[in-house]
């Protein structure tokens, strides 16, 4: 199975207690839904099943089948939990999609010129940003809002953009 067929749903953090429970930072809209996807896998293909889950402050606390000690839980710190893309439910509306689906999309300016290709989606606390690699190899971060990316066609891997003035100008060209 290719890495592109997997979507990260969470990352295991520090152990919780001494009985093998782990903290998990969930990337799902509802963190408790993490348990509803069935077995999850890591980058090495190891399978993890959530036997029990409960909410905590900024994470969920889970008991994974087969992990019964704090030492076993410590070994999982930093492990990313994935699910096969095919097991994800379909989006409920057209403006809803996986951030991972944006990677590889061409970004087209208002004049029809190719501004670049999305290489990543980030959020540093003030909203989503798309990292765009320009044709000359620069990296540009653009706010990912309806105002700046009014039309998105995931099937065509295309984002029509109205970027802020000067965002794609090369500073060295001045």
């Amino acid at each position: 199975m290719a890495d592109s067929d997997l979507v990260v749903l969470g990352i295991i953090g520090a152990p919780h207690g001494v009985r093998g429970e782990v903290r998990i930072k969930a990337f799902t809209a509802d963190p408790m839904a993490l348990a509803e996807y069935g077995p999850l896998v890591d980058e090495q293909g190891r399978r993890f099943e959530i036997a029990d889950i409960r909410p905590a402050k900024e994470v969920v606390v889970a008991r994974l089948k087969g992990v019964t000690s704090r030492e076993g839980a410590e070994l999982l710190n930093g492990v990313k939990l994935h699910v096969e893309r095919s097991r994800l439910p379909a989006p409920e509306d057209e403006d809803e999609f996986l951030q991972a689906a944006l990677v590889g999309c061409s970004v087209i300016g208002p004049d029809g010129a190719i501004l670049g290709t999305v290489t990543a989606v980030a959020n540093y606390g003030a909203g989503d940003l798309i990292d765009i690699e320009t044709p000359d190899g620069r990296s540009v971060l653009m706010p990912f809002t309806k105002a700046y990316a009014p039309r998105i066609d995931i099937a065509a891997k295309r984002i029509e953009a109205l970027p802020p003035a000067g965002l794609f100008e090369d500073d060295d060209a001045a």
Side-chain angles (χ1 to χ4, degrees):
M1 176 177 346
D3 285 345
S4 62
D5 293 337
L6 297 176
V7 176
V8 178
L9 292 186
I11 185 166
I12 298 175
H16 181 82
V18 295
R19 294 195 179 108
E21 290 182 316
V22 294
R23 292 174 177 91
I24 301 175
K25 172 144 180 65
F27 303 132
T28 53
D30 172 12
M32 294 294 290
L34 197 60
E36 297 171 14
Y37 289 95
L40 304 171
V41 296
D42 68 3
E43 287 92 350
Q44 287 77 40
R46 293 182 297 178
R47 292 171 53 96
F48 297 92
E49 289 186 51
I50 296 176
D52 190 40
I53 190 169
R54 67 181 186 278
K57 287 184 181 176
E58 296 176 9
V59 295
V60 292
V61 173
R63 187 170 47 82
L64 303 174
K65 287 186 179 175
V67 180
T68 57
S69 69
R70 182 175 184 88
E71 293 76 20
E74 286 172 349
L75 294 173
L76 300 176
N77 194 350
V79 169
K80 292 179 182 174
L81 299 172
H82 301 81
V83 68
E84 293 172 30
R85 187 179 301 272
S86 62
R87 290 185 22 219
L88 294 173
E92 292 180 16
D93 74 51
E94 65 184 33
D95 288 335
E96 188 176 305
F97 42 81
L98 293 171
Q99 288 182 346
L102 297 172
V103 175
C105 285
S106 294
V107 180
I108 312 299
D111 60 357
I114 295 177
L115 298 174
T117 304
V118 176
T119 58
V121 180
N123 187 320
Y124 300 106
D128 289 333
L129 299 168
I130 51 176
D131 192 345
I132 302 164
E133 183 177 335
T134 64
D136 62 3
R138 291 180 298 125
S139 177
V140 175
L141 289 174
M142 184 178 86
F144 186 62
T145 64
K146 197 77 161 160
Y148 297 125
R151 282 178 290 291
I152 301 159
D153 185 342
I154 294 296
K157 300 291 282 176
R158 177 184 170 99
I159 298 172
E160 293 181 24
L162 298 172
L167 185 66
F168 284 89
E169 292 176 10
D170 187 351
D171 292 339
D172 295 337

